[in-house]
Each structure stands twice: as C-alpha cells, then as structure tokens.
Amino acid sequence: MIRNLSRVVRRAYRRTVDLSHPARSPLGSAVENCVVYREGGRQPGDWAPGEAIRRTRERREGFVWIGLHEPTEEEFAGLAKLFGLHPLAVEDAIHAHQRPKVERYDDTLFAVFKTVRYVEHEQLTATSEVVDTGEVMVFVGRDFVITIRHGSHGSLGPLREALERLPDQLQKGPSAVLHAIADQVVDDYLDVTDAVQNDIEAVETAVFAERTARGDAGQIYQLKRELLELKRAVAPLHRPLQILAHEPPAAVSPEIQPYFRDVADHLARATEQINAFDGLLDSILQAHVAQVTVAQNEDMRKITAWAAIVAVPTMICGIYGMNFDHMPELHWTYGYPLALGVIATLCLGIHRGFRRNGWL
C-alpha cells in the first residue's frame, strides 16, 4: 500500500515539474541540462559540457549529468567525441527504436529503457490509443551520465529534482542516476498496467452485461494490440535488469547493486500482470465469440419457428387457391370460417410447442 501511494505521489509530482521547458534549457535545442554534482550536491551555475567534465576530472570527485532530448547526429557528435562514446552506441542513441538492453563498451555502460505512458480517453473504441511509448538511453561512465530521451513524455526533470533531495544517494555516483531512471521507468509500467486493468474490466463488463450481451470485438482487439505494445516495452527489460542486479559491470557501484534487485522484482510483477491481462483478454474474446454464436443460433431458431408457423396457412391457402371445381367443402357455407379456424388452431398449437421448447 505504501509503495502504491509512493508511485501515485511521484506521478502527480512529475506532472507539475518539467525541466525540458525552454525557459529552463538555455544550452540548446537538444541539451536540456548540464549539471555538476559533488558530494551529493548540485554545483551552482550554468555549465557547458566541456567545462563541466574538465573541472570534474581536475578535482577527481563528483560527476556530470547531461540530459538531451532527441539530438541529431550533428548535435551529439561533439559530446560523443568529448566523452569517447562508442560509435555503435552513439548510432543507437540517435536513431532510437531499440530494444531494452545493457551493453558495455570499455569503461562506459550503455543502457536502453522503453518508457510508457497511459493515454487518457473517455471511452475505449476500436481505434483508441491506450499506451504511448518512448525511449531513454543512458551512458554511464566513471564521472559522467548522459541521458538521451526520445518521445514526447518521460521527462527526467522531476527525477533529477527528486534525486537532488537525496544527497546520500547521489554520493554513490553515476550508477545512482541509472538506478533512479530504471526505477522510474518500471514504476511507470506498474502505473500503466493498473490503468489498463480498468479498461479490461470495462470491456469485460460490456461483454457479460445482460442488455448488450455481445460487446464489441473491435475494443477487445484494440486492447490486445495496445497490451502487446506494452509487453514489447516491459518483457525485454528482464535480462538487462538481471545483469545490473547480479552481474553488474564495473561502472555500477556495488552499493547500488541491491537497488537493482528491487527494481527487477517490480518488473517481474509488471510482467506477471501483463501476461495475466493477455490471458484474460483471450478468455473475454472467446466468451464474446461464444456469445455471438449462441445469439446467432437463437436468431436462427426463432426464424425457423416462425417459418414453420407461417407454413401452415401458406399450405392450406395454397391448396384452396388452386381453383378446382370439385374440392371438399368448396361450396359449403361454413367452409371458409372452418378453414380459418383450422389455420388458427394449428398455428397456435405450433407456437405453443415452440414456446415450450424455448425456440420463441
């Protein structure tokens, strides 16, 4: 309960603060922030990346955190050269659309996380967008952290401010930032799965409601597609977190390693929920198909029953409409009322029989 409350408070706080705002990003269109941290505290002033890392390495303490948003190849080339980033990792960071992963290039760690956001909607339809995804790439070195964000959501500004209120955590170095990012990403997974659960419950209620009884297959398929998008973001992160928790590279501080185990546990919970939702949607879809089949059978039985009832007057009227001179009761005064009576009696008898058997 405390954990859920913490996620709610953190999510509400993130909505009110955004360091990517132009007024707070004087360093260019791609660089959102460049900050120097020493002894767990933020150093004052606006830093250029080259000056920040030079001062940090001269003092041999602290680290630099540089945040970027969707940099171009030209914008990132200078930073890549300054920090000696591997060309393959640089290419992945610029072009995005990568699977979650953790890779080591010499003394630098490169991590990719898929970010997710729940798209609010008044009512789920066959075309509703439920899950919006983005990416966060993280370069972690001995004395620097570079974060590259892709997508319109997932700002790391509030995370930065939250970390700055925890100097003991920041003293653990760049890997503390890597853990905080992983923790926020996984917490967002749990928030989105909780929201998706409400949509699934609404679809389930619509399918099994007595009045509608048939639901909307388009809603179910759309929800399955959006759940698949969420699963593609969550499932591949399992192995990278296992590496960080149990086989961490040298760039990850031993003091941070236990924290990654906690994040891995939360990821396992999110994965279990998504798999359970997928199975539940399969069951809902099967129930919907079964209901449609049963409804169609009921319709066919009703049509067949009424066709049988209509066949009686059709047969009798057809026989007496053949215009032969010598037919039973043709010229009898009560022949016509008698024929109508026979028709009514037979039709009522057949209708009663169908009603008794549940066809009508």
Side-chain angles (χ1 to χ4, degrees), residues 140 171-176 244 248-260:
V140 179
Q171 282 184 344
K172 296 180 174 64
S175 54
L244 293 174
V252 177
S253 170
E255 297 178 328
I256 296 297
Q257 183 179 350
Y259 293 90
F260 282 111

Side-chain angles (χ1 to χ4, degrees), residues 312-328:
V312 173
T314 301
M315 179 187 67
I316 296 176
C317 294
I319 292 174
Y320 278 89
M322 291 189 292
N323 297 324
F324 289 107
D325 290 334
H326 302 286
M327 294 182 67

Side-chain angles (χ1 to χ4, degrees), residues 91-113:
E91 182 180 359
D92 290 345
I94 293 174
H95 296 98
H97 303 295
Q98 305 296 320
R99 285 170 56 88
K101 60 182 179 179
V102 170
E103 296 178 342
R104 183 176 62 184
Y105 296 96
D106 297 328
D107 295 332
T108 302
L109 184 69
F110 177 61
V112 178
F113 301 97

Side-chain angles (χ1 to χ4, degrees), residues 41-338:
R42 176 172 181 163
Q43 301 303 300
D46 295 331
W47 297 84
E51 179 67 14
I53 192 62
R54 185 182 67 80
R55 291 284 187 89
T56 299
R57 289 175 176 173
E58 284 179 353
R59 297 175 63 98
R60 295 185 179 181
E61 62 176 345
F63 66 93
V64 178
W65 182 357
I66 301 175
L68 302 95
H69 180 242
E70 297 183 354
T72 63
E73 187 173 353
E74 292 76 14
E75 290 173 328
F76 195 52
L79 285 177
K81 183 178 180 180
L82 177 64
F83 291 94
L85 306 180
H86 196 280
L88 292 177
V90 171
E91 182 180 359
D92 290 345
I94 293 174
H95 296 98
H97 303 295
Q98 305 296 320
R99 285 170 56 88
K101 60 182 179 179
V102 170
E103 296 178 342
R104 183 176 62 184
Y105 296 96
D106 297 328
D107 295 332
T108 302
L109 184 69
F110 177 61
V112 178
F113 301 97
K114 283 279 190 181
T115 59
V116 298
R117 177 178 66 92
Y118 180 76
V119 181
E120 298 289 345
H121 47 269
E122 294 183 0
Q123 184 177 4
L124 182 67
T125 66
T127 58
S128 295
E129 184 182 12
V130 178
V131 178
D132 183 25
T133 60
E135 294 179 45
V136 172
M137 284 81 165
V138 187
F139 290 92
V140 179
R142 180 180 58 84
D143 51 12
F144 68 89
V145 177
I146 301 175
T147 57
I148 301 98
R149 182 168 59 91
H150 292 267
S152 59
H153 67 277
S155 173
L156 299 178
L159 174 66
R160 184 191 295 267
E161 293 188 351
L163 272 175
E164 289 174 356
R165 294 193 294 270
L166 300 172
D168 292 339
Q169 193 73 0
L170 276 176
Q171 282 184 344
K172 296 180 174 64
S175 54
V177 177
L178 179 64
H179 161 261
I181 293 172
D183 188 49
Q184 174 176 301
V185 167
V186 174
D187 279 351
D188 286 342
Y189 292 163
L190 292 172
D191 291 337
V192 172
T193 54
D194 291 342
V196 170
Q197 183 176 5
N198 295 331
D199 287 330
I200 295 177
E201 291 175 352
V203 168
E204 186 178 20
T205 301
V207 168
F208 292 102
E210 294 182 0
R211 293 184 178 180
T212 58
R214 298 192 183 185
D216 184 357
Q219 294 180 358
I220 303 174
Y221 278 116
Q222 178 65 13
L223 203 51
K224 280 187 67 67
R225 285 194 294 266
E226 294 297 308
L227 193 64
L228 178 61
E229 185 75 12
L230 179 60
K231 190 173 184 179
R232 288 173 178 169
V234 175
L237 188 57
H238 174 75
R239 179 55 184 164
L241 282 182
Q242 290 299 316
I243 293 175
L244 293 174
H246 302 287
E247 308 168 15
V252 177
S253 170
E255 297 178 328
I256 296 297
Q257 183 179 350
Y259 293 90
F260 282 111
R261 291 205 272 298
D262 181 65
V263 177
D265 290 340
H266 297 159
L267 180 70
R269 176 189 165 191
T271 304
E272 291 173 358
Q273 283 185 318
I274 293 172
N275 291 333
F277 291 162
D278 193 35
L280 179 58
L281 283 175
D282 286 336
S283 300
I284 293 174
L285 183 59
Q286 292 175 0
H288 169 75
V289 173
Q291 285 184 333
V292 170
T293 302
V294 170
Q296 290 176 343
N297 290 338
E298 291 178 354
D299 293 341
M300 289 302 300
R301 289 196 303 179
K302 291 179 180 179
I303 293 173
T304 303
W306 284 111
I309 294 173
V310 173
V312 173
T314 301
M315 179 187 67
I316 296 176
C317 294
I319 292 174
Y320 278 89
M322 291 189 292
N323 297 324
F324 289 107
D325 290 334
H326 302 286
M327 294 182 67
E329 317 301 341
L330 189 60
H331 299 287
W332 185 38
T333 303
Y334 301 103
Y336 179 67
L338 178 62

Side-chain angles (χ1 to χ4, degrees), residues 16-37:
T16 60
V17 182
D18 189 356
L19 292 182
S20 65
H21 192 278
R24 305 184 68 173
S25 302
L27 303 176
S29 59
V31 179
E32 295 183 319
N33 271 285
C34 178
V35 181
V36 176
Y37 294 96

